[in-house]
Amino acid sequence: MIVINRSYTIKYSKGGIAQFADFNYSENKLVSNSFRPNWVKTNEIPSLEDLEKIEDILKVIKDWSYANQAEIILIDNNVPNYKSKQITQKYADEFKLFFLNFCTNFFKSEILPILKKNKWKISYSWMGQPILIKKVKKEWNNVDSYHKDSKLIDCICNRFLKKVLKSDTELNFKAEHGYISGNSFKEFFYWLDESQLLVLKVFIKQEALNK
């Protein structure tokens, strides 16, 4: 299986229109390209055979294009301005850290008291989904989704997600077979810092459940 780890898109002018060609690289080797110009005779298209470097490919296309109009407009499907990419990543990282703390504070204020009252914990199911658990006769079991506080937690998470993240996750309190639980809690959980939950002693890792 070929893994594409670098791609370029060249925009060039020919046949009275702007045209585009993609060049894909795997382990620094050119493995495919879509350089098939339209509105020109086949015998007029320059050969890119034996060319590997994108700089050499660009030069050939540029020399052939109308008024030498050819440039690399995308690198890995991003505008080739690495400074702006680094800046936006910096702000994205800062926002993620802020929002993790924001969600954790909301959790401590609104959800943690409910968990403590019921002596519930959080863990992962065998499918890797976050779940509420409780201890019954020295064994950990899933919290009953019909429990009023289980529904309350999901309702709180749902309102938070809708107001803050504009989530479209819906609650279903009128299902034929009862309450369908957990979707909002699961979505909210992924915005929590697991290490902080461990400090709060409210999270139990899967491997620790049977100890």
Side-chain angles (χ1 to χ4, degrees):
M1 176 180 173
I2 297 176
V3 177
I4 304 300
N5 48 35
R6 195 70 163 171
S7 66
Y8 299 88
T9 297
I10 292 177
K11 176 184 177 182
Y12 59 98
S13 178
K14 201 67 177 180
I17 59 173
Q19 302 195 45
F20 304 85
D22 297 318
F23 298 83
N24 298 314
Y25 287 77
S26 178
E27 297 181 355
N28 297 320
K29 291 185 178 181
L30 181 65
V31 294
S32 66
N33 75 76
S34 64
F35 182 61
R36 299 174 186 84
N38 296 314
W39 307 108
V40 295
K41 295 179 180 179
T42 303
N43 60 2
E44 294 179 353
I45 300 174
S47 173
L48 302 180
E49 189 175 355
D50 297 328
L51 297 180
E52 282 284 336
K53 294 181 178 180
I54 193 66
E55 295 84 1
D56 296 336
I57 293 170
L58 177 62
K59 184 178 185 307
V60 170
I61 295 176
K62 193 169 186 177
D63 289 344
W64 175 73
S65 298
Y66 173 76
N68 301 123
Q69 295 180 32
E71 61 178 329
I72 297 172
I73 61 167
L74 295 175
I75 299 176
D76 297 334
N77 291 317
N78 291 305
V79 175
N81 185 333
Y82 289 100
K83 183 177 180 180
S84 66
K85 184 177 179 181
Q86 291 167 352
I87 290 172
T88 54
Q89 185 61 50
K90 172 180 176 289
Y91 281 97
D93 291 342
E94 288 180 0
F95 174 77
K96 183 177 180 181
L97 179 60
F98 160 79
F99 198 66
L100 281 173
N101 290 328
F102 182 77
C103 290
T104 300
N105 289 336
F106 177 82
F107 171 84
K108 289 191 291 187
S109 171
E110 307 301 327
I111 298 175
L112 185 58
I114 301 174
L115 298 181
K116 286 184 174 181
K117 182 186 75 172
N118 291 285
K119 297 181 180 179
W120 293 347
K121 303 289 185 182
I122 302 171
S123 188
Y124 290 122
S125 70
W126 64 274
M127 295 180 63
Q129 297 292 321
I131 55 173
L132 298 177
I133 58 174
K134 63 179 179 179
K135 208 161 197 177
V136 179
K137 295 181 180 179
K138 297 183 179 181
E139 290 189 0
W140 290 104
N141 293 299
N142 290 2
V143 168
D144 188 348
S145 61
Y146 290 91
H147 193 289
K148 64 177 182 178
D149 283 346
S150 175
K151 290 190 278 188
L152 176 59
I153 287 175
D154 219 30
C155 186
I156 291 172
C157 291
N158 183 266
R159 298 297 180 263
F160 178 86
L161 293 167
K162 281 183 175 294
K163 292 291 185 180
V164 178
L165 293 180
K166 308 302 180 184
S167 170
D168 58 0
T169 301
E170 295 294 341
L171 292 175
N172 186 354
F173 290 105
K174 298 180 181 180
E176 180 181 352
H177 299 293
Y179 168 63
I180 300 175
S181 71
N183 290 334
S184 292
F185 169 70
K186 290 172 186 175
E187 187 176 341
F188 174 73
F189 175 85
Y190 289 114
W191 284 102
L192 299 177
D193 186 338
E194 188 176 297
S195 63
Q196 292 192 47
L197 296 180
L198 287 170
V199 172
L200 293 171
K201 298 182 179 179
V202 73
F203 180 75
I204 301 177
K205 291 187 176 182
Q206 178 71 30
E207 57 270 23
L209 290 177
N210 298 322
K211 292 182 179 180

